[in-house]
Amino acid sequence: MNRHPKLGSVDRGRVVRFVFDGREYTGHPGDTLASALLANGVRRVGTSVTHGRPRGIFAAGAEEPNAVVQIEEPFPEPMVPATMVELYDGLVASGLAGRGRLADRPDPARYDGMYAHCEVLVVGGGPAGLAAAEEAARSGVRVILADERTPAAPPGVRLLPRTTVIGYYDDNYLIAVERRSEAGTARERLWRIRAGHVVLATGAHERSIAFAGNDLPGVMLAGAARTYLTRYGVLPGRRAVVFTTNDSAYLAAEDLARAGVEIAAIVDVRPTPAPTDIEVISGNFVTEARGDGEVSSVLVGSRELEADLLLVSGGWNPVVHLFGQSGGTLRYDDDLAALVPGESPQAVTVAGAARGVFGHADCVQDGIRAARAALGQTAPEPPPTSRQHACWLVPATDYTRHFVDLQRDVTVADIHRATGAGLRSVEHVKRYTTAGTAHDQGKTSGLLTTAVMARTLGVSPADLGSTTFRAPYTPVSFAALAGRDRGDLHDPVRVTALHDWHAAHGALFENVGQWKRPWYYPGDGEDMDTAVLRECRAAREGVAAMDASTLGKIDIRGPDAAEFLDRLYTNLMSTLKVGSIRYGVLCRLDGMVFDDGTAIRLAEDHYLVTTTTGNAAAVLDWMEEWLQTEWPDLRVHCTSVTEQWATVALVGPGSRAVLAELAPDLAVDSASFPFMTWREADVAGIPARICRISFSGELAYEINVSWWYGLALWEAVMSRDVTPYGTETMHVLRAEKGYPIIGQDTDGTVTPHDLGLSWLVSKKKADFLGKRSFTRQDTARSDRKRLVGLLPATRLREGSALLADGRMVGHVTSSYLSAALGRPFALALVAGEHTTLTTLDGTPAEVTSPVFYDPEGRRRDG
Amino acid sequence: MLLIPCPWCGPRDEAEFHYGGQAHVAYPADPAALSDEEWGRYLFFRDNPAGPFAERWSHSAGCRRWFNVVRDTSTNRIVPQEANR
């Protein structure tokens, strides 16, 4: 074990067992998978995606480009950085060759979501973030601190531990993912946070230097090695060379030396090194990392130093990702040789290393300053005074092993190829080479790519700008984003008052919008066709009933209700007599049919209109929009009453007798109760409004009762030997009559005229919504597609193309088997006059009127 | 997720609203008097500025009222239009 006896904060008293690449290992609570692997001497963790080169652990945090693993147990998760996996008992993982594998089974874990609001959100719990949170909380405001680990939160601060803020959106809305316990029921939790002010204390990522063999296992960022030692007590090697451009790697070297790692030398590119007891080779480069599958020696000019660890520090990049996402500008600072935050349109302050302020004490001061700025106190932002020595690349003649993006296997040679091909924009080079497009989104390679490009082109990185930082900062699972909004909870399910009866009687259901509607009721041994033919015969020859409760119902009331409906519908609604009913069509302003339904006039100032099941909300929205924005002078109120009324359609030549039995006080003969009128009466003892409306062409009644009495009414109807039928039979019956279904036979490009409903379009009214469009050149064309009937040789598929002389002239919109016709039939939208059409597979179909059944309308009065 | 100032309910998440496009595009007083082109322009043509844009929103999952704001399309900064409450 490469574990220091004292250092680190893992719980040495307890042992955690895990499996990696099929071998059993142990670690301690507090380890990450990466630290536990290093502690066990596992150096090779995966294989690179393009070249198949061995790869090890390169970093210690979310920026890890190399050690990306597949979790196998407890539940498969692809592409997880080993540095971000907290070790737990029973973890089974394996190394990857670039690509992960999704689970082939449903995830048993729950994912959930939370909303949070605060005056100050601090992102990052390092010295600057902790100081900012503490200072902000002192004022008494709500402070949330989110950190990838579990720091000790200052008093009064709400800590979101193990939480990565992944997205920064408009108006200080931020999204974070909390990694919950594997043992618990919720694996991840999504936080949606609205903050008054955001303090970004996201720190800095150490960056690499491009030299030959810089991808070998054993090459590691210097700061990462220091983290493994101080946080986990892990010695990542026995003999190390340190290659640096700055002082921070000296701290790593000295800490590792004290802990027992032999430091062969510090190779410092600067001519004047920092003071240290360790041998420094200054003004020099590491020219190559050598070894068979992992580092065994390091070449410095002509010297070859034996080492199993090569620590690299090319300096530090402020983590400006979230700032960039906030809409903030970024600036390349020549002194810092890094991108630093500029201006953001949002209420955000950057603190500490995230803006190039390095060093513990300076970061604490900067955190306090940022908190005061967040609280609206004036706190001037001193410019960072740090300087970094820019060294990106070790010159060589062959650049094919100088890696820039370890995860995408992109080398300096690849960048040269891109610039050689004439590419000058960082965005283009990114796309050409794929540098920075991997799972890690170039956290360690992005600026390096730009800098190598700049060096090749002989310009400054400042001249090239940067690629755009977009959410998410780290990969996020779809499961976390979906949270509990999946499966049964994905969308509300609406059921009618009769639903349980339908289910108990074997109905199969169809989704119509959010509603569950009975589709058909198969009897013993019946398939769908047989059941639907039986239901259709019952409606045409006997008596049948359907649950029509899902039809949208809007109560329209007010002195101007009639005028309002006249402006909305294509026909006149103001002339409708109290007690009567009229069918109507709504068009959008472009003249295309939007919805249809009936209007019944309850009083001079009171209508009830129905809508299609799926469009009820859209129609109400449409009405409200016109009332509020264009016609505020109209005194009208619209109220959705869909779920106040249960509706039973009683259909067929036998329906009158059934209604007469159920409503003994109601005169049901045609003279007393004519078509398209409504009456109020008790039906089965329940106060009801009965409408003589037919969507089948048969004698029919729609009986409306209070939702609570829906089931009682239905059971009373069913006790009279009435056949229940579903939406499929409803569709067949109406299609036999040529009644279009809006949304099935129409698609937003169909006018009332196209549907053969010109009789519904008022010529008397000066205007109504859509009227002007009927005379537009295109809408008035004579060769538009129109609704026709088809009598095909065999049943057609809905959506099938229809050809005339090999040219497509339309498509099938509805297609069924008809009990009444004893054959298949269809409705279609077709341009031009034709006697026969064929489908793509050669099925011929005779073109007919869309009214197949009872064209004289003799059956509607029974 | 914009924070949209509903004049009745106060600032609420964008997800509670429906977008209504450009504001102040009035329904013509007499559509029949318009040429096809004029009617087509009313129907289909809207401004698309980079900068301040008067637009309509409906608080559809809240008070269900329509209102106008001016939003800078390049920064998403919203200025409520109290007069249109």
Side-chain angles (χ1 to χ4, degrees):
Chain A
M1 291 289 282
N2 306 313
R3 192 79 77 167
H4 188 274
K6 291 201 196 75
L7 288 171
S9 51
V10 297
D11 181 357
R12 286 157 205 270
R14 290 192 292 150
V15 170
V16 170
R17 297 180 185 284
F18 69 102
V19 174
F20 185 77
D21 278 346
R23 288 189 59 182
E24 285 189 28
Y25 300 99
T26 60
H28 299 293
D31 264 326
T32 62
L33 176 58
S35 70
L37 286 171
L38 288 170
N40 282 280
V42 177
R43 315 244 296 172
R44 181 175 169 164
V45 175
T47 315
S48 77
V49 63
T50 307
H51 302 311
R53 292 170 65 89
R55 292 287 166 79
I57 294 164
F58 187 69
E63 71 274 28
E64 174 63 43
N66 253 356
V68 176
V69 301
Q70 170 83 33
I71 307 287
E72 308 282 5
E73 299 288 343
F75 186 77
E77 270 194 84
M79 306 290 288
V80 187
T83 52
M84 297 301 285
V85 179
E86 281 188 32
L87 200 66
Y88 47 88
D89 227 19
L91 173 70
V92 178
S94 52
L96 285 174
R99 273 183 281 271
R101 197 179 63 255
L102 287 169
D104 56 4
R105 58 181 195 265
D107 191 341
R110 205 168 82 186
Y111 295 77
D112 60 16
M114 291 282 283
Y115 290 84
H117 300 80
C118 57
E119 276 69 41
V120 180
L121 169 67
V122 180
V123 183
L130 286 173
E134 183 171 7
E135 178 70 13
R138 226 195 294 274
S139 74
V141 302
R142 294 171 297 174
V143 178
I144 293 177
L145 171 66
D147 190 77
E148 291 184 324
R149 303 182 64 249
T150 309
V157 172
R158 182 180 185 183
L159 176 70
L160 303 184
R162 308 148 101 184
T163 300
T164 306
V165 177
I166 59 164
Y168 193 143
Y169 301 92
D170 285 311
D171 294 316
N172 273 357
Y173 186 81
L174 292 93
I175 301 282
V177 176
E178 179 185 354
R179 289 169 294 282
R180 307 272 290 168
S181 158
E182 279 302 323
T185 50
R187 180 169 293 134
E188 290 176 348
R189 170 174 288 172
L190 196 77
W191 288 87
R192 300 174 178 90
I193 305 165
R194 185 77 76 175
H197 200 103
V198 174
V199 174
L200 294 176
T202 44
H205 287 152
E206 200 164 20
R207 64 197 186 203
S208 185
I209 302 168
F211 58 89
N214 63 343
D215 66 325
L216 272 179
V219 178
M220 184 183 280
L221 292 170
R226 193 170 176 224
T227 297
Y228 285 117
L229 179 68
T230 55
R231 190 179 291 168
Y232 307 103
V234 169
L235 307 176
R238 283 181 297 279
R239 190 164 198 272
V241 171
V242 179
F243 180 26
T244 186
T245 65
N246 63 85
D247 291 354
S248 73
Y250 284 66
L251 300 175
E254 283 162 1
D255 282 350
L256 287 163
R258 263 195 298 277
V261 176
E262 188 185 343
I263 306 295
I266 296 175
V267 181
D268 194 328
V269 300
R270 298 172 298 181
T272 314
T276 179
D277 295 336
I278 300 167
E279 184 198 349
V280 179
I281 307 173
S282 59
N284 224 318
F285 297 113
V286 164
T287 44
E288 186 180 356
R290 290 184 165 176
D292 180 15
E294 58 183 85
V295 173
S296 58
S297 70
V298 174
L299 215 57
V300 183
S302 56
R303 268 179 81 181
E304 185 164 3
L305 305 169
E306 198 182 306
D308 64 349
L309 188 63
L310 172 54
L311 302 183
V312 181
S313 179
W316 295 82
N317 289 335
V319 177
V320 294
H321 299 63
L322 292 175
F323 184 81
Q325 287 182 30
S326 80
T329 57
L330 301 174
R331 178 177 62 82
Y332 183 83
D333 185 290
D334 278 315
D335 287 343
L336 207 59
L339 290 171
V340 293
E343 300 295 318
S344 173
Q346 306 214 43
V348 55
T349 308
V350 185
R355 70 178 193 98
V357 173
F358 299 120
H360 189 278
D362 287 351
C363 282
V364 168
Q365 279 311 308
D366 206 42
I368 292 169
R369 174 200 59 81
R372 289 178 182 161
L375 297 168
Q377 301 160 9
T378 46
E381 182 175 304
T385 51
S386 309
R387 296 178 66 87
Q388 292 196 117
H389 183 92
C391 170
W392 309 96
L393 174 68
V394 175
T397 50
D398 175 6
Y399 284 113
T400 55
R401 291 188 303 128
H402 283 51
F403 283 86
V404 174
D405 185 331
L406 294 168
Q407 205 170 32
R408 282 282 189 239
D409 262 357
V410 177
T411 65
V412 171
D414 294 322
I415 295 172
H416 287 168
R417 216 172 353 261
T419 53
L423 302 182
R424 293 296 178 269
S425 144
V426 285
E427 297 282 5
H428 291 162
V429 169
K430 174 179 176 175
R431 283 152 184 78
Y432 188 80
T433 61
T434 73
T437 63
H439 187 273
D440 64 336
Q441 289 285 290
K443 291 187 179 63
T444 56
S445 64
L447 187 58
L448 183 56
T449 304
T450 304
V452 169
M453 218 185 124
R455 188 181 184 279
T456 311
L457 297 172
V459 298
S460 159
D463 300 326
L464 294 177
S466 76
T467 55
T468 306
F469 291 100
R470 295 189 183 88
Y473 167 66
T474 54
V476 56
S477 65
F478 283 116
L481 293 175
R484 303 210 64 194
D485 300 334
R486 56 196 291 188
D488 288 344
L489 299 179
H490 172 63
D491 203 28
V493 172
R494 300 173 79 185
V495 297
T496 73
L498 320 181
H499 183 81
D500 292 346
W501 189 98
H502 303 316
H505 289 75
L508 295 180
F509 290 91
E510 176 180 35
N511 294 327
V512 183
Q514 292 169 331
W515 288 100
K516 295 280 178 202
R517 297 198 69 180
W519 193 15
Y520 60 99
Y521 301 79
D524 284 341
E526 277 185 335
D527 63 8
M528 179 172 172
D529 285 348
T530 318
V532 170
L533 288 170
R534 173 181 53 75
E535 291 176 11
C536 284
R537 272 194 296 274
R540 293 256 182 254
E541 297 165 15
V543 56
M546 183 186 71
D547 181 358
S549 307
T550 63
L551 279 189
K553 306 173 202 82
I554 302 171
D555 187 274
I556 296 178
R557 204 183 287 228
D560 297 319
E563 168 67 17
F564 176 57
L565 294 183
D566 273 353
R567 295 184 192 186
L568 288 173
Y569 284 85
T570 61
N571 52 346
L572 272 168
M573 291 298 184
S574 54
T575 55
L576 185 64
K577 291 187 172 54
V578 173
S580 286
I581 305 174
R582 194 164 284 170
Y583 174 66
V585 167
L586 292 166
C587 290
R588 298 281 194 188
L589 289 180
D590 60 6
M592 304 303 155
V593 175
F594 155 50
D595 203 64
D596 70 344
T598 55
I600 81 174
R601 193 160 196 175
L602 296 167
E604 278 303 312
D605 62 350
H606 191 187
Y607 291 78
L608 189 137
V609 303
T610 64
T611 73
T612 58
T613 296
N615 248 355
V619 172
L620 184 63
D621 287 346
W622 183 240
M623 291 175 168
E624 282 290 346
E625 181 179 347
W626 284 94
L627 273 179
Q628 289 183 35
T629 66
E630 288 286 352
W631 307 326
D633 52 314
L634 290 188
R635 294 157 299 167
V636 181
H637 286 285
C638 304
T639 309
S640 168
V641 292
T642 303
E643 292 180 11
Q644 277 62 41
W645 292 98
T647 306
V648 173
L650 186 63
V651 177
S655 58
R656 180 173 285 137
V658 172
L659 183 62
E661 277 178 48
L662 291 172
D665 297 337
L666 181 67
V668 295
D669 61 285
S670 257
S672 310
F673 190 178
F675 186 58
M676 294 306 258
T677 62
W678 60 272
R679 299 287 181 266
E680 279 179 351
D682 282 359
V683 178
I686 304 161
R689 180 186 297 142
I690 308 117
C691 300
R692 258 204 71 193
I693 299 172
S694 178
F695 197 41
S696 60
E698 299 298 329
L699 174 69
Y701 302 88
E702 284 187 7
I703 308 166
N704 298 278
V705 297
S706 166
W707 192 265
W708 305 106
Y709 293 125
L711 184 59
L713 171 67
W714 180 258
E715 286 181 331
V717 168
M718 285 297 130
S719 72
R720 299 295 196 285
D721 198 24
V722 173
T723 301
Y725 71 95
T727 51
E728 189 66 16
T729 291
M730 174 190 78
H731 280 207
V732 178
L733 297 175
R734 64 87 204 177
E736 288 170 346
K737 288 291 290 176
Y739 299 151
I741 296 234
I742 306 307
Q744 172 162 340
D745 300 297
T746 70
D747 59 4
T749 67
V750 179
T751 68
H753 306 288
D754 299 337
L755 290 174
L757 297 176
S758 298
W759 60 274
L760 261 180
V761 180
S762 167
K763 294 192 172 58
K764 290 186 195 142
K765 288 197 281 187
D767 194 27
F768 55 83
L769 299 185
K771 179 181 169 78
R772 175 63 187 82
S773 288
F774 294 145
T775 54
R776 284 183 69 231
Q777 199 178 6
D778 182 66
T779 322
R781 260 174 33 224
S782 58
D783 60 344
R784 291 179 58 82
K785 287 182 185 174
R786 291 173 198 286
L787 189 72
V788 299
L790 295 178
L791 289 172
T794 55
R795 187 170 173 181
L796 301 176
R797 260 208 345 257
E798 287 175 357
S800 297
L802 293 166
L803 310 178
D805 303 324
R807 199 171 55 87
M808 182 173 165
V809 293
H811 66 279
V812 177
T813 58
S814 295
S815 174
Y816 313 98
L817 295 177
S818 168
L821 307 176
R823 57 165 301 151
F825 75 109
L827 297 176
L829 287 170
V830 172
E833 302 294 327
H834 309 277
T835 51
T836 50
L837 296 168
T838 54
T839 60
L840 282 171
D841 61 11
T843 308
E846 182 193 338
V847 180
T848 70
S849 152
V851 184
F852 296 90
Y853 183 76
D854 186 29
E856 304 83 9
R858 289 200 194 104
R859 301 189 61 82
R860 69 162 204 223
D861 288 326
Chain B
M1 181 78 73
L2 296 174
L3 194 63
I4 298 175
C6 172
W8 302 95
C9 307
R12 292 288 189 278
D13 279 355
E14 179 185 351
E16 294 183 16
F17 297 82
H18 273 163
Y19 186 56
Q22 184 173 357
H24 312 305
V25 182
Y27 188 72
D30 182 7
L34 300 186
S35 69
D36 268 12
E37 185 182 338
E38 287 166 335
W39 177 249
R41 289 206 165 268
Y42 163 71
L43 270 190
F44 303 120
F45 287 68
R46 296 294 182 268
D47 296 340
N48 185 24
F53 185 52
E55 62 189 15
R56 309 184 310 149
W57 289 88
S58 163
H59 194 189
S60 47
C63 64
R64 299 186 58 76
R65 303 302 293 175
W66 283 89
F67 59 94
N68 295 344
V69 300
V70 170
R71 179 175 61 97
D72 188 318
T73 59
S74 52
T75 61
N76 273 342
R77 192 162 306 186
I78 290 177
V79 181
Q81 302 296 290
E82 286 297 332
N84 290 294
R85 172 164 158 162

